[in-house]
């Protein structure tokens, strides 16, 4: 069964304190790994798609990387507005049109 | 650009009452459409997805159903709500790989 595990469940950082979120996956053939940001009471907002090991994508203070077993979302010099829950999802060869989501990491950045 | 709408934004319904949530997408044609439920501590659970009008795939056996009467319209229904149906319901669309989510409906069953 395809599985996605995100760690830590929650992370508190001081403004400017860089860190990384982890997404590890066990799937039968990866067809894409996706990162989303979700603010409280809102729908997830698409951030990145990664397709193959070694690939990296950047957007402002965020950089996503991918290996054969996991993905990292690096947050450089975070600001309070980066506080949100970050979700990871995978699309697999056997999953047709479906995404399998992790439970997310709740990030809080204190000023 | 594409836009996805969901309504209502919030809903409080008694146990045993019917349910109808609606989702519409603008700015694209023949999208794949999805219904998810998000419960606290459980992540996003895929309920239904559709690759075309009248084509519905169910992921989780339950008292919910979905319909796609038009290309860009997706409806989630129930004849009799249960307490366990409470949650945050999200509609999403995709054309290729990425899925894009709507604003969600917060459903509370009392």
């Amino acid at each position: 069964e395809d599985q996605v595990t995100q760690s830590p469940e929650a992370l508190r950082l001081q403004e400017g304190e860089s860190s990384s979120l982890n997404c590890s996956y066990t799937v039968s053939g990866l067809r894409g790994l996706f990162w989303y940001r979700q603010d409280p009471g809102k729908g997830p907002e698409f951030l990145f798609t990664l397709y193959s090991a070694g690939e990296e994508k950047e957007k402002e203070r965020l950089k996503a990387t991918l290996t054969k077993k996991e993905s990292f979302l690096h947050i450089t010099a975070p600001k309070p507005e980066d506080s949100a829950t970050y979700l990871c999802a995978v699309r697999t060869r056997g999953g047709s049109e479906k995404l399998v989501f992790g439970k997310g990491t709740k990030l809080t950045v204190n000023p | 650009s594409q836009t996805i709408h969901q309504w209502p934004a919030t809903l409080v319904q008694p146990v045993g009452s019917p349910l109808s949530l609606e989702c519409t997408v603008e700015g694209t044609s023949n999208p794949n459409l999805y219904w998810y439920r998000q419960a606290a501590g459980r992540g996003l659970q895929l309920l239904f997805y559709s690759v075309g009008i009248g084509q519905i795939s169910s992921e989780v056996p339950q008292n919910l159903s979905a319909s796609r009467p038009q290309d860009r319209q997706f409806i989630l229904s129930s004849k009799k709500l249960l307490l366990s149906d409470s949650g945050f319901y999200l509609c999403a669309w995709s054309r290729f790989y990425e899925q894009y989510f709507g604003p969600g409906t917060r459903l509370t069953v009392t």
Side-chain angles (χ1 to χ4, degrees):
Chain A
E1 182 180 345
D2 299 328
Q3 285 192 328
V4 178
T5 303
Q6 292 189 245
S7 62
E9 291 185 10
L11 180 63
R12 286 185 175 271
L13 300 173
Q14 288 299 122
E15 185 172 1
E17 179 187 2
S18 301
S19 187
S20 297
L21 312 182
N22 178 265
C23 171
S24 63
Y25 58 90
T26 306
V27 299
S28 55
L30 184 70
R31 293 172 63 197
L33 185 141
F34 308 85
W35 282 99
Y36 289 84
R37 170 194 169 124
Q38 186 175 22
D39 293 306
K42 297 187 177 181
E45 174 190 349
F46 170 73
L47 293 174
F48 305 110
T49 305
L50 302 167
Y51 291 106
S52 57
E55 189 174 359
E56 298 183 352
K57 294 275 181 73
E58 285 189 68
K59 180 180 179 180
E60 296 181 355
R61 295 177 292 282
L62 301 177
K63 183 169 80 172
T65 62
L66 181 65
T67 72
K68 289 186 178 180
K69 293 184 178 181
E70 58 192 348
S71 177
F72 292 94
L73 185 65
H74 307 277
I75 304 176
T76 302
K79 298 181 178 181
E81 53 262 44
D82 294 322
S83 298
T85 295
Y86 291 86
L87 300 171
C88 171
V90 297
R91 187 180 187 198
T92 67
R93 297 189 192 285
S96 65
E97 307 300 325
K98 299 181 291 185
L99 296 184
V100 177
F101 280 84
K103 293 184 178 181
T105 294
K106 183 177 180 180
L107 174 67
T108 303
V109 182
N110 296 313
Chain B
S1 63
Q2 298 82 18
T3 308
I4 180 168
H5 303 279
Q6 284 187 246
W7 63 90
T10 60
L11 192 59
V12 180
Q13 293 284 93
V15 168
S17 64
L19 173 73
S20 181
L21 303 181
E22 190 165 342
C23 170
T24 59
V25 181
E26 297 177 353
T28 187
S29 59
N30 195 30
N32 294 329
L33 297 173
Y34 308 82
W35 278 113
Y36 289 87
R37 179 169 59 204
Q38 189 174 37
R42 296 192 59 186
L44 277 164
Q45 179 188 32
L46 179 64
L47 302 175
F48 302 94
Y49 70 94
S50 171
V51 298
I53 296 174
Q55 300 178 62
I56 308 295
S57 295
S58 175
E59 290 297 303
V60 182
Q62 58 205 337
N63 68 320
L64 298 173
S65 62
S67 62
R68 185 171 177 172
Q70 300 180 39
D71 181 46
R72 290 169 289 173
Q73 183 185 29
F74 206 22
I75 297 172
L76 182 69
S77 304
S78 174
K79 293 182 179 179
K80 290 185 178 181
L81 284 169
L82 307 173
L83 284 174
S84 58
D85 291 323
S86 292
F88 191 46
Y89 287 81
L90 289 157
C91 181
W93 73 273
S94 72
R95 282 299 308 278
F96 301 106
Y97 292 108
E98 297 86 9
Q99 292 184 14
Y100 299 92
F101 287 83
T105 295
R106 173 73 60 189
L107 172 65
T108 303
V109 182
T110 59

